[in-house]
Amino acid sequence: SLPPDTNAGGSAEISLEWGADAKRVRLPSQPAETPSTNHVPYGVNTMHRVLTFLVKLMDQTRSGAHMETLELGCRLIRTAFETAGSRIGGVPSLVQVIQDDLCKRVLQNSQIKSLSILSLTLRIVYDLFNAVKEHLRVQLEVFFTSIHMRIGESEASLYEEKELVFESLVEFCNDSSLIVGLYRNYDCEVSSTNLFEDLCKFLARSAVPHHSTEDPDARSEEKQGSINRLHVLSLEGILAML
């Protein structure tokens, strides 16, 4: 093949092998690429708008809200926290959205009778603990008492709902730094509730089968006096803390 030939007009000739003949083809020269001065990266304002939009998807009170939309909003919020991690706590405007709007939606959605929504809600609570727990002192206390313990102790809760709650608690208990943080930041503070103590007592009560004949029609998993998965999960939580 023939070497490239550049003329004064800025175009270049290159040779192309095609069969037995070599021919020259004149191609226009490409100008050197220069970085665009008009490109502006997405900033905090865009992040704030996106997070606000995702939180609105979780609002069951808005007009036109459907269960599929709520589930989509929960999944996208989880993806956002898994992607950003603890870095999201370094942006005050995003922390404000989390403290006010997101925590409110989490409490609302925990009362929906849907196992998929409850499962995602519990996962979001765990993500909040991992990402921005230093900004959610009061909110996380409310989550434990108003979601986990409320559902776990309520006779109106379904067995499947309780199972999801206890699985979530076991995941919390397996995180040693989180459990130590509960004791240090709540039980050791005069103005806070004894959250670590309450959690231990809750798991201890739930680990013991209660002998009673008040509900002879109870399903096999919930029969009084028999050991079921809820008792096993409670013991797993206690052992994890020890």
Side-chain angles (χ1 to χ4, degrees):
S1 61
L2 302 176
D5 180 28
T6 305
N7 58 19
S11 60
E13 287 187 351
I14 62 174
S15 63
L16 299 178
E17 295 283 355
W18 196 264
D21 300 327
K23 297 183 179 180
R24 285 187 177 274
V25 180
R26 187 176 297 277
L27 299 176
S29 61
Q30 298 294 329
E33 294 185 0
T34 57
S36 174
T37 57
N38 297 325
H39 175 69
V40 179
Y42 298 114
V44 174
N45 289 335
T46 303
M47 296 167 59
H48 182 273
R49 293 178 61 184
V50 170
L51 183 60
T52 302
F53 173 75
L54 297 182
V55 172
K56 286 182 179 179
L57 290 179
M58 298 173 57
D59 186 5
Q60 58 174 305
T61 62
R62 66 183 178 87
S63 59
H66 300 285
M67 198 65 66
E68 294 79 6
T69 306
L70 296 179
E71 185 172 345
L72 174 62
C74 291
R75 293 187 182 278
L76 291 176
I77 284 290
R78 283 213 61 212
T79 302
F81 275 99
E82 289 176 353
T83 304
S86 59
R87 291 172 295 180
I88 198 171
V91 185
S93 60
L94 301 183
V95 172
Q96 188 68 33
V97 175
I98 296 171
Q99 289 175 331
D100 297 337
D101 300 331
L102 179 57
C103 289
K104 180 179 180 181
R105 304 306 170 214
V106 168
L107 286 174
Q108 288 179 342
N109 291 343
S110 68
Q111 301 177 14
I112 298 178
K113 290 298 182 180
S114 168
L115 294 179
S116 60
I117 296 295
L118 177 60
S119 177
L120 289 170
T121 299
L122 294 171
R123 292 300 308 172
I124 291 174
V125 172
Y126 185 76
D127 292 337
L128 289 173
F129 260 99
N130 284 325
V132 289
K133 54 180 174 291
E134 63 274 9
H135 300 286
L136 302 177
R137 180 185 180 84
V138 176
Q139 291 87 342
L140 295 177
E141 180 181 347
V142 173
F143 288 156
F144 261 120
T145 56
S146 300
I147 298 180
H148 293 82
M149 296 183 186
R150 176 184 62 82
I151 295 177
E153 293 181 329
S154 175
E155 296 181 358
S157 300
L158 299 176
Y159 175 84
E160 292 80 4
E161 293 175 335
K162 294 183 179 181
E163 189 173 17
L164 289 174
V165 164
F166 280 96
E167 288 176 350
S168 176
L169 288 176
V170 170
E171 190 171 17
F172 276 109
C173 294
N174 282 321
D175 190 336
S176 58
S177 62
L178 191 148
I179 292 300
V180 172
L182 284 183
Y183 179 76
R184 180 184 301 165
N185 296 309
Y186 292 93
D187 294 59
C188 294
E189 292 289 336
V190 178
S191 59
S192 300
T193 60
N194 296 330
L195 196 55
F196 175 77
E197 180 182 350
D198 292 342
L199 176 60
C200 292
K201 290 181 178 179
F202 171 71
L203 292 175
R205 289 194 303 269
S206 303
V208 180
H210 299 283
H211 298 272
S212 174
T213 57
E214 293 179 0
D215 189 7
D217 298 326
R219 52 184 296 178
S220 59
E221 297 90 342
E222 299 177 286
K223 283 184 178 180
Q224 304 293 337
S226 62
I227 297 178
N228 55 40
R229 178 163 168 75
L230 301 183
H231 302 127
V232 175
L233 288 172
S234 300
L235 290 172
E236 287 182 7
I238 295 174
L239 290 174
M241 287 190 292
L242 295 176

